[in-house]
């Protein structure tokens, strides 16, 4: 998910919030480290360091015989003050995120449960009203639901949503939505799965995700009276581990510039020292970034000459699919494409319906530009980029920005796409449908065609990655056409 230090900080923050919100009172024992590691989907070492930090900061004591026991004794007023402060600092981001969860993850959750093995469904504990479940119960259940998709990138996104939103919200005193997940949604959705009643399951997921948004808005109206700061805490997400972020971000920036023609084919990128100075990074970081670009076939480095940008015709034969770093970036691209394929219908439906006249004209202008340049193969990216810019929800824009960047790792596949006549016919068909749908503000037809296009791209990508020796791509669940 993230590098271990950052993970430790996040887990520490969530557990501290649980104590400050009164989930664990003075004298209560925290879950064992082994249990907590499983609940947070992190290593035992990460949990141990988070617990030690809680001990150092005076929240708990740790002993071999008793375990980890809370020593902070907060009054009811102090607990309420903690709740007020936390939620006042995140109001707009949390409300926006609550409305984004459905479009971003609803279809993926449905598909994950639909394809979950029966053993997993039967082993999931159904709740009873007399049992007390921790705030992580809902997250454990949801993560189990998504597991069959085989998408680590999606799990990282869900983990970020959980730690930013669900864990603190479920931890608030007298939270009704947490109990509804435990006593209603989880058992009802499992029942639909066991009966293979997929239409009812879809409705149940949609209802639950709508409910959490309504509950949060009502929570703010009824509970949170503290005014928010001028600068609230936003929702953020990065697909990269922090330790690797600089190298991959630089490589992605350069690859994006190459794809958009800033560095044309057969020209040379700036030198190592120049890039290092311009980007304010070390020469070794630039060197690793260029090595990655060489690996995906976008460039080729020559001793004492520099790094040359390759044409599309040269990328396939210069891409080294045997390099682990290249394989990982290609899997990042495929996983991003899967998330986009599973979310695009709901996201585009909401987005197209929200466009005003100026936004529609801008989108039509972008599409017309592809026609004028005869670049129909860019219709997928161009359309998703419109959703990234115009989605009414900030969280969707944040996530789509990151996902779209990951698509550039598939640079070497563009040459294969450009050789395929049937794909060109599909792109032209999509162009015409998108243009007509925008003119008529037909969000349904636009969304259906976009989903068809993304599913086709996803199938095409997986088959080519597997053919290129990246067998891990087969672990991604491929929905039927």
């Amino acid at each position: 998910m993230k590098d271990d230090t950052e993970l430790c900080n996040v887990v520490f923050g969530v557990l501290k919030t649980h104590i400050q919100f009164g989930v664990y009172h003075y004298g209560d024992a925290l879950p064992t480290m082994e249990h907590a590691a499983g609940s947070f989907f992190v290593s035992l070492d990460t949990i141990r360091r988070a617990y030690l930090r809680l001990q150092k900061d005076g929240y708990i004591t740790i002993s071999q015989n008793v375990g980890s026991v809370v020593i902070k004794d907060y009054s009811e007023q102090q607990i309420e003050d903690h709740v007020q402060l936390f939620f006042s600092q995140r109001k707009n981001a949390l409300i926006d995120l609550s409305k984004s969860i459905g479009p971003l993850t609803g279809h993926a959750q449905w598909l994950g449960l639909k394809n979950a093995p029966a053993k997993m469904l039967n082993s999931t504990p159904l709740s009873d009203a007399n049992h007390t479940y921790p705030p992580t119960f809902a997250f454990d259940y949801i993560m189990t639901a998504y597991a069959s998709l085989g998408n680590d990138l999606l799990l990282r996104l869900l983990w970020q949503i959980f730690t930013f939103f669900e864990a603190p919200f479920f931890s608030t005193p007298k939270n009704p939505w947490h109990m509804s997940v435990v006593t209603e949604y989880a058992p009802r959705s499992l029942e639909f799965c066991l009966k293979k009643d997929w239409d009812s399951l879809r409705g149940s997921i949609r209802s639950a995700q709508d409910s959490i948004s309504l509950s949060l808005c009502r929570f703010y109206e009824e509970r949170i009276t503290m005014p928010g700061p001028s600068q609230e805490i936003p929702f953020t997400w990065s697909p990269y581990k922090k330790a690797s972020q600089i190298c991959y971000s630089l490589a992605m920036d350069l690859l994006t510039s190459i794809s958009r023609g800033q560095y044309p084919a057969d020209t040379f990128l700036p030198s190592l020292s120049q890039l290092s100075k311009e980007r304010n990074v070390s020469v070794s970081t630039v060197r690793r970034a260029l090595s990655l670009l060489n690996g995906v076939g976008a460039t080729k480095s020559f001793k004492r000459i520099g790094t040359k940008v390759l044409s599309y015709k040269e990328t396939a034969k210069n891409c080294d699919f045997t390099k682990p770093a290249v394989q990982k970036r290609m899997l990042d691209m495929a996983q991003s494409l899967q998330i986009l394929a599973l979310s695009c219908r709901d996201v585009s439906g909401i987005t197209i319906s929200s466009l005003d006249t100026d936004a529609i004209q801008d989108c039509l202008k972008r599409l017309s530009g592809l026609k004028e340049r005869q670049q129909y193969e860019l219709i997928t990216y161009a359309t998703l980029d419109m959703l990234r810019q115009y989605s009414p929800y900030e969280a969707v824009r944040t996530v789509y920005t990151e996902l779209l960047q990951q698509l550039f790792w598939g640079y070497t596949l563009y040459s294969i796409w450009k050789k395929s006549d049937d794909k060109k016919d599909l792109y032209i068909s999509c162009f015409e449908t998108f243009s007509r749908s925008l003119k008529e503000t037909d969000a349904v037809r636009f969304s259906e065609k976009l989903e068809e296009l993304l599913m086709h791209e996803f199938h095409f990508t997986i088959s080519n990655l597997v053919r290129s020796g990246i067998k891990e791509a087969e672990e991604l669940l491929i929905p039927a056409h």
Side-chain angles (χ1 to χ4, degrees):
M1 292 179 188
K2 306 177 183 180
D3 78 293
D4 195 51
T5 299
E6 190 175 1
L7 277 177
C8 175
N9 292 337
V10 173
V11 172
F12 166 80
V14 172
L15 291 171
K16 183 178 74 171
T17 300
H18 288 170
I19 296 171
Q20 291 177 333
F21 284 11
V23 175
Y24 303 109
H25 290 88
Y26 176 81
D28 289 346
L30 294 185
T32 65
M33 293 185 188
E34 291 78 6
H35 180 78
S39 296
F40 281 99
F41 292 83
V42 297
S43 70
L44 182 59
D45 182 62
T46 297
I47 288 292
R48 184 178 294 108
R49 292 199 293 120
Y51 274 48
L52 288 173
R53 185 174 169 189
L54 287 170
Q55 178 178 244
K56 180 181 177 182
D57 289 1
Y59 288 95
I60 64 174
T61 58
I62 302 175
S63 64
Q64 188 170 1
N65 295 329
V66 182
S68 304
V69 177
V70 175
I71 57 174
K72 282 284 189 181
D73 191 8
Y74 291 122
S75 66
E76 292 300 315
Q77 184 57 53
Q78 287 176 311
I79 290 174
E80 180 62 21
D81 291 343
H82 290 144
V83 171
Q84 292 285 336
L85 179 61
F86 181 94
F87 284 96
S88 67
Q89 293 175 329
R90 297 164 173 82
K91 179 178 181 179
N92 292 316
L94 287 175
I95 291 177
D96 178 271
L97 182 56
S98 73
K99 296 177 179 179
S100 304
I101 291 174
L104 283 173
T105 68
H107 185 53
Q109 185 179 154
W110 176 81
L111 188 67
L113 282 171
K114 183 180 178 181
N115 289 274
K119 181 179 179 181
M120 182 276 286
L121 297 174
N122 290 322
S123 64
T124 301
L126 292 176
S127 58
D128 66 79
N130 298 319
H131 187 81
T132 300
Y133 288 88
T136 55
F137 171 86
F139 182 63
D140 292 345
Y141 172 74
I142 296 300
M143 290 293 270
T144 301
Y146 289 101
S148 64
L149 298 176
N151 193 319
D152 293 336
L153 196 63
L154 177 60
L155 297 185
R156 284 178 236 161
L157 172 60
L158 293 168
W159 199 85
Q160 185 74 1
I161 291 173
F162 167 73
T163 56
F164 185 83
F165 170 34
E166 294 177 350
F169 184 45
F170 292 165
S171 302
T172 55
K174 301 177 182 178
N175 183 297
W177 202 88
H178 180 215
M179 280 310 300
S180 72
V181 172
V182 172
T183 61
E184 298 175 22
Y185 170 64
R188 186 166 61 242
S189 60
L190 283 174
E191 180 183 355
F192 292 145
C193 288
L194 295 172
K195 291 181 177 179
K196 301 186 184 303
D197 186 352
W198 307 125
D199 288 340
S200 295
L201 175 65
R202 189 188 299 276
S204 178
I205 292 172
R206 184 177 294 113
S207 176
Q209 291 178 331
D210 288 344
S211 173
I212 192 172
S213 180
L214 292 172
S215 295
L216 180 70
C217 291
R218 188 162 53 249
F219 172 78
Y220 269 103
E221 291 175 1
E222 298 174 355
R223 282 282 309 277
I224 305 304
T225 58
M226 181 181 291
S230 58
Q231 189 72 33
E232 290 191 11
I233 298 174
F235 172 76
T236 59
W237 176 61
S238 172
Y240 298 127
K241 293 182 177 180
K242 191 171 183 180
S244 307
Q245 176 122 23
I246 297 176
C247 170
Y248 294 151
S249 294
L250 174 58
M252 179 56 68
D253 286 346
L254 293 171
L255 189 55
T256 302
S257 297
I258 291 170
S259 300
R260 292 175 175 168
Q262 184 175 339
Y263 300 115
D266 297 324
T267 64
F268 284 82
L269 295 179
S271 67
L272 287 174
S273 58
Q274 187 176 343
L275 282 173
S276 173
K277 184 176 180 180
E278 289 177 356
R279 305 301 175 115
N280 195 27
V281 297
S282 67
V283 171
S284 62
T285 296
V286 176
R287 187 176 287 109
R288 287 190 293 123
L290 295 181
S291 176
L292 185 54
L293 292 183
N294 291 339
V296 300
T299 60
K300 187 172 183 178
S301 296
F302 300 89
K303 287 185 177 180
R304 293 185 293 277
I305 297 178
T307 299
K308 180 181 177 182
V309 177
L310 301 180
S311 66
Y312 281 136
K313 294 180 181 180
E314 299 174 285
T315 56
K317 64 181 180 181
N318 282 279
C319 181
D320 188 355
F321 286 108
T322 64
K323 285 188 174 182
V326 173
Q327 292 183 354
K328 184 63 177 69
R329 301 288 74 79
M330 290 296 180
L331 286 173
D332 285 344
M333 181 268 295
Q335 290 178 358
S336 296
L337 192 54
Q338 185 194 47
I339 298 172
L340 290 165
L342 294 178
S343 65
C344 68
R345 186 166 186 167
D346 289 335
V347 168
S348 61
I350 292 171
T351 303
I352 301 303
S353 299
S354 71
L355 296 180
D356 59 21
T357 302
D358 290 341
I360 290 175
Q361 290 304 314
D362 178 61
C363 292
L364 287 170
K365 183 179 179 180
R366 295 190 192 193
L367 294 181
S368 297
L370 297 183
K371 182 179 181 180
E372 292 170 2
R373 299 188 300 271
Q374 292 294 294
Q375 292 180 315
Y376 291 107
E377 71 276 3
L378 299 181
I379 188 68
T380 305
Y381 183 88
T383 308
L384 291 170
D385 193 49
M386 288 189 290
L387 302 183
R388 176 202 62 78
Q389 178 175 347
Y390 286 112
S391 170
Y393 302 132
E394 180 65 30
V396 172
R397 297 195 294 271
T398 296
V399 172
Y400 264 49
T401 295
E402 295 293 340
L403 294 177
L404 280 176
Q405 282 197 323
Q406 302 308 303
L407 297 188
F408 283 102
W409 293 125
Y411 185 86
T412 189
L413 298 178
Y414 295 168
S415 60
I416 303 174
W417 292 339
K418 290 171 78 74
K419 294 177 183 177
S420 179
D421 292 333
D422 63 323
K423 287 185 72 66
K424 184 175 181 179
D425 292 339
L426 170 64
Y427 293 145
I428 293 175
S429 171
C430 290
F431 168 84
E432 294 172 348
T433 299
F434 294 150
S435 299
R436 187 166 59 252
S437 299
L438 284 169
K439 291 175 183 177
E440 299 172 1
T441 322
D442 189 343
V444 173
R445 181 168 57 182
F446 187 102
S447 302
E448 289 175 347
K449 194 65 175 180
L450 181 58
E451 183 181 51
E452 176 190 335
L453 173 61
L454 265 292
M455 287 298 180
H456 184 278
E457 299 282 56
F458 182 59
H459 284 248
F460 180 85
T461 297
I462 294 301
S463 62
N464 276 281
L465 291 184
V466 173
R467 193 178 300 119
S468 300
I470 305 179
K471 300 300 183 182
E472 292 86 350
E474 291 180 309
E475 297 177 10
L476 287 169
L477 179 66
I478 306 176
H481 279 299

